[in-house]
Amino acid sequence: AGPAALEASGGRRRESALRTLRYFIFGAFVNAPMFIAYYHLQDTVVDGLLESAGGRLLAKLAFDQLVWTPFCYLPTFFGGMAALEGAGWRGATREAREKGWGLTGVLKANWKFWIPVLTVSYTVPREFRILFNNTMALFWTVYLSTVQSRKEGVAKG
């Protein structure tokens, strides 16, 4: 078991390092710029249209959780990570569709985590919002990493 176990352990370490590198690449070059632009646009549009703080909060939460997350962010995350793993166009679109598009188990888990987080986040001063959200996202990423690493799709419902 000695050499085989060492080889298997080294393979796991290498895969773990590659996986970490893929998350870094996605986070730095896709996720961060996408969310900076998204929150800026969201604040500009919603804050410009609605005067009530409660109305702004509900509008931002509704758009984020019913449009942005199920039809933009989650498909981009799962498809992007599959592409970084070398899945090709078909594999990446399949991954995006099965795990990220629409009403998935991931979206339902997202609602349980992000609705309370964003309710607080939208009351935090803008200059601290990204920092607050990124701190919370560390926990969420552990969940997404677990789902993303599964080879089978996540059941709807």
Side-chain angles (χ1 to χ4, degrees), residues 52-154:
S52 156
R56 288 192 304 266
L57 172 67
L58 290 176
K60 289 176 181 181
L61 276 174
F63 183 81
D64 188 88
Q65 295 300 303
L66 300 174
V67 178
W68 169 260
T69 298
F71 300 110
C72 186
Y73 178 69
L74 289 176
T76 300
F77 171 79
F78 286 114
M81 292 304 291
L84 288 171
E85 289 178 341
W89 177 255
R90 284 190 177 145
T93 55
R94 181 180 57 249
E95 191 82 356
R97 186 179 56 251
E98 290 177 2
K99 293 182 180 178
W101 184 264
L103 185 61
T104 62
V106 174
L107 181 64
K108 291 178 182 179
N110 176 85
W111 289 341
K112 292 175 186 174
F113 182 81
W114 282 107
I115 289 175
V117 168
L118 289 174
T119 299
V120 172
S121 173
Y122 290 132
T123 66
V124 170
R126 286 182 187 163
E127 60 269 21
F128 300 117
R129 190 175 304 149
I130 293 291
L131 177 62
F132 176 77
N133 287 357
N134 285 347
T135 302
M136 297 297 100
L138 289 172
F139 300 104
W140 178 246
T141 300
V142 171
Y143 171 76
L144 280 183
S145 175
T146 302
V147 172
Q148 187 269 329
S149 69
R150 294 181 196 150
K151 294 305 172 199
E152 72 282 353
V154 176

Side-chain angles (χ1 to χ4, degrees), residues 8-51:
S9 174
R12 282 193 300 267
R13 274 192 294 243
R14 183 177 186 283
E15 178 56 35
S16 179
L18 289 173
R19 185 174 176 79
T20 301
L21 178 61
R22 287 190 299 267
Y23 271 84
F24 170 77
I25 290 168
F26 184 85
F29 297 104
V30 178
N31 204 56
M34 184 169 66
F35 273 97
I36 289 168
Y38 170 66
Y39 286 128
H40 176 73
L41 181 64
Q42 190 183 54
D43 285 342
T44 301
V45 171
V46 174
D47 293 355
L49 292 175
L50 300 172
E51 291 188 26

